[in-house]
Amino acid sequence: MIQENSSNIITTQDFIEKGFFPKELVPAFTTENLADNLDKINSNIQNPSKKSSKFLSYSFPKSKYSRRILGIPNPLHQVVLCNFISQEWQDIENFILSSPLCQQSPLSYKRRAVSSYPINLPAERAISSASHRYRLYTDISRFYSTIYTHSIPWALHEKQIAKANRRDKSLIGNQIDEFVRNTQDQQTLGIPIGPDSSFVIAEIISSSVDKILTERLKSVPQGFRYVDDYYLYFNSYSEAERALSEINRILQEFELEINSSKASIVELPEPIELSWVSEIRRCPIGDDNSLEQYNDILTYFSKVFEYSKLFPDDAVIKYALSRINRTDILEKNWKLCESFILQSIIAAPNALIVATEILLKYSEKYQLNLEKISETIHLILLQHSELNHSHEISWALWLSKTLSIPIKEEVAKKISHLEDSIVALITLDLNSSNLIEGKIDFSLWQSILTIDHLYSSNWLLCYEANIKGYFPQTPQNNYIENDDFFAVLKQNNVSFYDGSKQIKLENNDEEIDEEEIDDEDNLGYDSSGFWFWY
């Protein structure tokens, strides 16, 4: 279906305030100050002296055995990229919306600057499959990580035209290609996962693939693409095979690949919902009778832990805790539920965000077992500091700050050896709040505070630790004043870390759409097929 033109206007402020930092970070990390000072910043970045920079990496658990590396670009080159995308937004949006396979109203402008519009995937699949015999499913393997930046102009302007005009700055695709490479040290393979600018680039390429596919098939097949997942329906196996072959061929032309481990053609009808989802959803958790609820909780988590072992690649525990977060746990049953929550985050650290929200909410109602929570935090920190897992360490530290639980000296020493800006800033915040026991040597992090690191992968620590005054002032600490871009940020009190911010507690009575898709690269989604609200 051809989409109607949209009148949405996305500004650079939208991209920076709502679509810059990954939503997986602890709530202290913010780009609000940066967004509020864009007028002053833009007047100083017309011809930046630094032509490119490295992005900061953040390791996030997709499932028990797989991870995704998110990217947080340097603000200088991210602002330049977002300025251009917002300037050309009408043409870019129209290009994306013209996809014949993209689900209707594919773009959302609510929680993020721009993202996929959440849909009820099982229902959409059921409706699309009506009157067809076969379902084709495939997605793009490691999509964001394998995008060839030069393929952006191929998508927007056709490959032959783009290749013949590689240096033509009047082509929007060439400019986006250059600006996105500037955010990643001129690398042409992959784009940073996390910023909304990367989502836009991915949609540009996907929309072009959609158009080429329908041209080669000489018709628009029944079904849809959602992010990088294709659900297409046919009346013969051969038609489905041909479509899969064409998708594979087109992706290769863009130097991408289908995910061969997931590609499938099945005869309909088929189960629409994962079995464990149905089973867990059917488990009642009453809130009228304490004894009944006690037994419900025991049964519920027994099933959850059983299915988490049977489906280790799915976010079973994360989904289960999101349901607990919307349940009123009675005081007599809190001790039992709390124990299961702590077991859950040890087994499934991708559930740390929702677990932190639950513990924060009930800390205002009941007495928490701070000793057990402390033991859990330290176990997570010890285990994941050996593996340099940004997400688990940073959220365990944030939980300790949230509940004012001190970090033991021996654990803090292990953390101080990690070169991770996110972890370092939270740890330094805890240290300044007297939540780190003993005297810790932070010399590794202090050594990063030089002008050379303002455009390295340590840019966030290099800037933020300086303006926060986490280390003694020395003549060498004036390096920010010697940089045209970061000097303007400091003069306007731009900060990327606000330790007073906290998770926003959701209203249990609020109606929540849980439906999601199994998507490898769109960070708004989880492999369980459900949306998790933090």
Side-chain angles (χ1 to χ4, degrees):
M1 74 191 86
I2 303 297
Q3 309 294 330
E4 294 181 1
N5 289 352
S6 170
S7 59
N8 290 292
I9 298 174
I10 307 300
T11 65
T12 305
Q13 181 155 359
D14 293 324
F15 275 112
I16 298 302
E17 183 175 349
K18 299 193 296 180
F20 185 175
F21 280 6
K23 67 180 184 341
E24 289 79 7
L25 300 183
V26 305
F29 290 95
T30 174
T31 52
E32 290 176 1
N33 289 162
L34 181 65
D36 290 342
N37 286 278
L38 281 173
D39 288 344
K40 299 168 187 175
I41 292 165
N42 277 324
S43 64
N44 287 272
I45 61 172
Q46 301 305 315
N47 293 294
S49 57
K50 289 288 184 179
K51 299 304 181 185
S52 66
S53 55
K54 295 182 179 179
F55 61 74
L56 182 162
S57 296
Y58 179 83
S59 176
F60 176 77
K62 285 174 55 182
S63 63
K64 187 171 183 178
Y65 300 115
S66 63
R67 305 190 69 81
R68 175 185 281 120
I69 303 301
L70 311 186
I72 307 176
N74 190 286
L76 168 59
H77 299 107
Q78 185 64 14
V79 167
V80 172
L81 171 62
C82 292
N83 278 341
F84 185 77
I85 292 177
S86 62
Q87 172 189 317
E88 304 294 337
W89 181 247
Q90 184 174 355
D91 287 342
I92 291 171
E93 185 189 42
N94 288 341
F95 183 87
I96 293 171
L97 296 181
S98 68
S99 163
L101 290 177
C102 199
Q103 186 65 27
Q104 193 166 11
S105 300
L107 302 181
S108 172
Y109 306 94
K110 294 180 180 179
R111 291 178 176 250
R112 299 285 294 187
V114 57
S115 60
S116 291
Y117 192 86
I119 65 169
N120 185 323
L121 186 63
E124 292 294 337
R125 289 172 57 191
I127 293 168
S128 296
S129 65
S131 72
H132 289 81
R133 291 186 60 195
Y134 295 94
R135 184 268 295 151
L136 161 64
Y137 169 78
T138 190
D139 69 355
I140 304 173
S141 178
R142 299 174 56 245
F143 189 17
Y144 284 33
S145 302
T146 58
I147 287 176
Y148 181 48
T149 65
H150 293 338
S151 72
I152 301 169
W154 300 353
L156 282 167
H157 312 293
E158 298 185 6
K159 192 170 184 178
Q160 287 184 335
I161 295 173
K163 282 198 163 190
N165 298 274
R166 282 181 290 183
R167 291 178 173 79
D168 185 351
K169 293 297 181 67
S170 69
L171 296 183
I172 294 174
N174 286 342
Q175 297 245 48
I176 296 176
D177 174 16
E178 177 184 351
F179 293 145
V180 76
R181 281 187 286 112
N182 291 345
T183 69
Q184 52 189 35
D185 200 28
Q186 293 300 319
Q187 292 296 314
T188 58
L189 181 61
I191 60 176
I193 303 175
D196 288 5
S197 55
S198 292
F199 167 78
V200 170
I201 292 167
E203 278 295 312
I204 288 171
I205 293 171
S206 298
S207 296
S208 182
V209 172
D210 296 346
K211 295 171 191 175
I212 297 171
L213 176 63
T214 56
E215 288 170 4
R216 293 186 183 177
L217 293 179
K218 300 188 186 323
S219 65
V220 179
Q222 179 69 28
F224 56 91
R225 172 184 60 81
Y226 196 68
V227 192
D228 68 333
D229 290 271
Y230 284 88
Y231 293 90
L232 304 179
Y233 298 88
F234 303 90
N235 278 325
S236 72
Y237 194 90
S238 61
E239 288 177 315
E241 273 191 317
R242 183 189 169 209
L244 180 59
S245 176
E246 289 293 353
I247 292 172
N248 190 38
R249 186 177 293 113
I250 296 164
L251 289 177
Q252 287 178 350
E253 292 169 9
F254 280 90
E255 304 201 6
L256 298 166
E257 295 181 355
I258 64 168
N259 190 336
S260 57
S261 65
K262 291 185 178 181
S264 63
I265 299 172
V266 299
E267 188 171 3
L268 299 173
E270 63 171 334
I272 294 296
E273 188 173 66
L274 295 171
S275 60
W276 66 261
V277 174
S278 302
E279 288 296 320
I280 291 177
R281 181 182 286 154
R282 279 199 293 265
C283 286
I285 308 176
D287 56 10
D288 295 329
N289 181 286
S290 61
L291 180 57
E292 288 182 4
Q293 187 186 70
Y294 184 91
N295 291 327
D296 287 345
I297 291 171
L298 284 173
T299 302
Y300 182 73
F301 277 100
S302 293
K303 282 191 174 292
V304 167
F305 294 154
E306 176 187 355
Y307 282 116
S308 71
K309 293 183 182 298
L310 292 173
F311 299 90
D313 292 331
D314 292 352
V316 177
I317 290 176
K318 185 178 179 183
Y319 169 67
L321 288 191
S322 72
R323 189 176 173 205
I324 291 293
N325 195 26
R326 301 192 298 277
T327 303
D328 184 15
I329 304 299
L330 302 176
E331 186 171 7
K332 286 186 178 180
N333 298 326
W334 170 247
K335 183 178 179 180
L336 175 66
C337 188
E338 180 186 45
S339 297
F340 281 133
I341 291 168
L342 297 182
Q343 288 182 47
S344 295
I345 58 177
I346 291 171
N350 62 358
L352 264 166
I353 300 179
V354 67
T356 300
E357 181 177 339
I358 296 170
L359 293 171
L360 173 60
K361 178 169 61 180
Y362 282 94
S363 70
E364 300 172 355
K365 299 173 63 175
Y366 308 145
Q367 181 67 43
L368 302 188
N369 189 333
L370 296 182
E371 182 180 352
K372 288 293 184 184
I373 296 174
S374 175
E375 291 173 0
T376 303
I377 287 172
H378 283 87
L379 178 59
I380 292 171
L381 290 174
L382 282 171
Q383 177 183 349
H384 293 280
S385 62
E386 295 289 338
L387 304 170
N388 201 8
H389 287 167
S390 312
H391 183 78
E392 292 88 330
I393 301 167
S394 61
W395 273 96
L397 290 171
W398 188 255
L399 181 56
S400 77
K401 177 180 172 67
T402 298
L403 302 178
S404 299
I405 296 174
I407 301 299
K408 295 177 182 178
E409 182 176 3
E410 61 269 24
V411 176
K413 284 181 178 178
K414 285 183 174 292
I415 294 170
S416 69
H417 295 142
L418 302 177
E419 191 172 318
D420 186 308
S421 291
I422 301 296
V423 168
L425 287 170
I426 302 170
T427 305
L428 291 169
D429 178 20
L430 291 176
N431 189 56
S432 67
S433 303
N434 298 315
L435 287 174
I436 300 288
E437 295 178 351
K439 187 174 178 60
I440 310 300
D441 179 8
F442 294 123
S443 57
L444 170 64
W445 298 341
Q446 189 172 8
S447 70
I448 288 170
L449 273 62
T450 67
I451 195 168
D452 293 335
H453 282 288
L454 282 175
Y455 295 92
S456 77
S457 58
N458 295 306
W459 69 264
L460 183 57
L461 174 61
C462 184
Y463 174 77
E464 198 67 27
N466 178 282
I467 67 167
K468 287 286 193 293
Y470 284 138
F471 296 104
Q473 293 295 314
T474 66
Q476 289 75 27
N477 282 359
N478 294 326
Y479 59 88
I480 288 180
E481 285 75 5
N482 295 326
D483 181 85
D484 292 342
F485 175 71
F486 282 100
V488 174
L489 300 193
K490 187 172 183 178
Q491 289 164 12
N492 289 281
N493 300 313
V494 172
S495 174
F496 297 99
Y497 186 90
D498 182 353
S500 68
K501 287 185 175 292
Q502 187 49 274
I503 272 184
K504 293 180 181 178
L505 298 180
E506 296 288 348
N507 184 347
N508 282 357
D509 296 328
E510 183 179 342
E511 186 175 335
I512 297 176
D513 177 12
E514 297 175 327
E515 302 301 342
E516 274 228 344
I517 63 170
D518 177 2
D519 174 64
E520 181 175 315
D521 294 295
N522 178 25
L523 300 183
Y525 295 91
D526 195 277
S527 60
S528 66
F530 289 87
W531 180 266
F532 297 95
W533 301 93
Y534 302 135

